[in-house]
Amino acid sequence: MTDTEAPGSAGSELAPREREFTVRQRSQSRLVLRRFVRHRAAMASLVVFALIVLWAFAGPHLWHYSYRKFTPDNSQPPSLKHPFGTDSAGYDSYAQVMRGTQTSLKIALMIALGSTLLGAVWGAVAGFYRGLVDAVMMRIADLVLTLPLLAIALVISSRSGGSWYWIALVVAGLTWAYVARVVRSTVLSLREKEFVEAARALGASDARIIFRHLLPNALGPVIVNATVLVATGILTETALSFLGFGIQPPDTSLGLLVAQAQTAVDTRPWLFYIPGAFIITIALTVNFIGDGLRDAFDPRQQRVRQ
């Protein structure tokens, strides 16, 4: 008679086995990306915006009509040959809308980049030093905020000859203060954190603390404001061009196309509504992207809006 193994012995198949669990640490960037990907409206808007950018910058190299060249087809409605129709001079509207979208995007992106860089540095320096430095710098920012954006942009743009980069620089120089105020308030709370005290104790310079520790931790609000400035840039350029002080022919933009077609809205509506639809689409998609980024970067976010 053989001896049976005692329950729970090492050789028993019924003995419980310990399960090993592997805990994977998620970085902050992975958490932000995960929240953003789960935001359906932001992801859909990102895809649409990326397709518009690709179409605007790559399309002119593939399309057989140029925005500067006449065609023998005058005032033709949308067709397979001219998907967006033609105007009274015979210009292909598809080529013109591509060029106009490209120009408007360049202006908007440059406005966002310039305003964000200047405003982020300005706000970070003011929030870090506080006291007299903060008071003087923020009073300058408050002064910029009180300036009428459209009126000043009209005056300066009228002297720039309709160059897109001058328009972008002017608008960026009048909108950076919004970013500066947001970054300053963020830095005021961050400068009292332990990692800043540790950097000071290790002998880090003020510039290193600002650019290496404070600004990267304020990246969330900075990115969100940058997306808002893209939409602001598109709409500001549209307003300037519509009033005749923006992009000038032979170049074109979405705002200029809408301005030129306002008298033909009843007879040739495609000339007015198609570029107008692109303006609305770009502004909406950028706002939805900014909404998703705000939810993703918010550390207090309890749930992601679906």
Side-chain angles (χ1 to χ4, degrees):
M1 184 176 181
T2 59
D3 294 334
T4 59
E5 295 180 349
S9 63
S12 174
E13 296 181 358
L14 299 177
R17 298 179 179 178
E18 294 183 357
R19 295 182 179 178
E20 296 183 358
F21 294 92
T22 302
V23 178
R24 297 175 61 185
Q25 184 179 4
R26 289 178 179 172
S27 63
Q28 181 65 23
S29 58
R30 290 178 64 89
L31 290 174
V32 169
L33 180 61
R34 183 171 178 267
R35 288 196 189 108
F36 181 75
V37 169
R38 291 177 57 191
H39 198 293
R40 296 177 182 175
M43 284 301 298
S45 298
L46 181 61
V47 171
V48 173
F49 182 73
L51 290 175
I52 290 176
V53 172
L54 181 64
W55 173 77
F57 285 89
H61 301 287
L62 303 175
W63 189 239
H64 47 275
Y65 290 115
S66 171
Y67 75 98
R68 288 185 174 183
K69 291 185 179 180
F70 297 99
T71 70
D73 306 315
N74 298 336
S75 300
Q76 294 295 314
S79 62
L80 292 177
K81 186 177 181 181
H82 302 285
F84 292 171
T86 61
D87 61 11
S88 58
Y91 285 112
D92 179 68
S93 294
Y94 189 81
Q96 289 215 317
V97 172
M98 277 194 293
R99 175 64 179 183
T101 304
Q102 181 186 129
T103 304
S104 296
L105 285 173
K106 287 192 294 186
I107 293 173
L109 293 174
M110 188 171 176
I111 289 172
L113 180 62
S115 297
T116 301
L117 289 177
L118 178 57
V121 174
W122 192 278
V125 172
F128 178 77
Y129 287 107
R130 297 193 302 184
L132 179 62
V133 174
D134 180 32
V136 172
M137 294 182 71
M138 295 317 296
R139 294 299 75 76
I140 295 174
D142 291 340
L143 177 63
V144 174
L145 288 173
T146 62
L147 298 176
L149 170 62
L150 195 57
I152 294 179
L154 283 173
V155 174
I156 300 179
S157 297
S158 63
R159 302 175 181 271
S160 66
S163 177
W164 71 268
Y165 52 85
W166 275 112
I167 295 173
L169 288 175
V170 169
V171 178
L174 296 171
T175 54
W176 61 267
Y178 296 99
V179 181
R181 292 188 66 85
V182 172
V183 174
R184 172 186 174 270
S185 62
T186 304
V187 169
L188 283 174
S189 61
L190 289 175
R191 71 185 304 275
E192 306 300 333
K193 299 293 184 181
E194 292 79 2
F195 66 89
V196 176
E197 296 297 331
R200 284 199 186 98
L202 292 173
S205 63
D206 291 349
R208 180 174 177 81
I209 292 174
I210 292 173
F211 291 100
R212 180 66 180 84
H213 298 286
L214 293 178
L215 279 177
N217 282 279
L219 192 61
V222 170
I223 293 177
V224 172
N225 277 272
T227 60
V228 174
L229 285 170
V230 173
T232 301
I234 285 284
L235 297 177
T236 304
E237 182 278 322
T238 299
L240 289 173
S241 297
F242 189 82
L243 294 173
F245 294 93
I247 301 298
Q248 300 297 321
D251 204 352
T252 190
S253 69
L254 292 176
L256 182 59
L257 290 174
V258 170
Q260 291 174 335
Q262 60 180 320
T263 57
V265 65
D266 293 326
T267 57
R268 298 183 298 278
W270 59 87
L271 299 177
F272 181 86
Y273 289 112
I274 292 177
F278 272 87
I279 294 172
I280 295 172
T281 302
I282 293 172
L284 284 178
T285 53
V286 171
N287 280 328
F288 278 125
I289 292 171
D291 188 48
L293 288 171
R294 186 190 65 239
D295 290 347
F297 277 104
D298 188 358
R300 297 164 296 181
Q301 186 72 18
Q302 298 297 321
R303 66 183 183 89
V304 177
R305 284 184 283 178
Q306 301 295 324

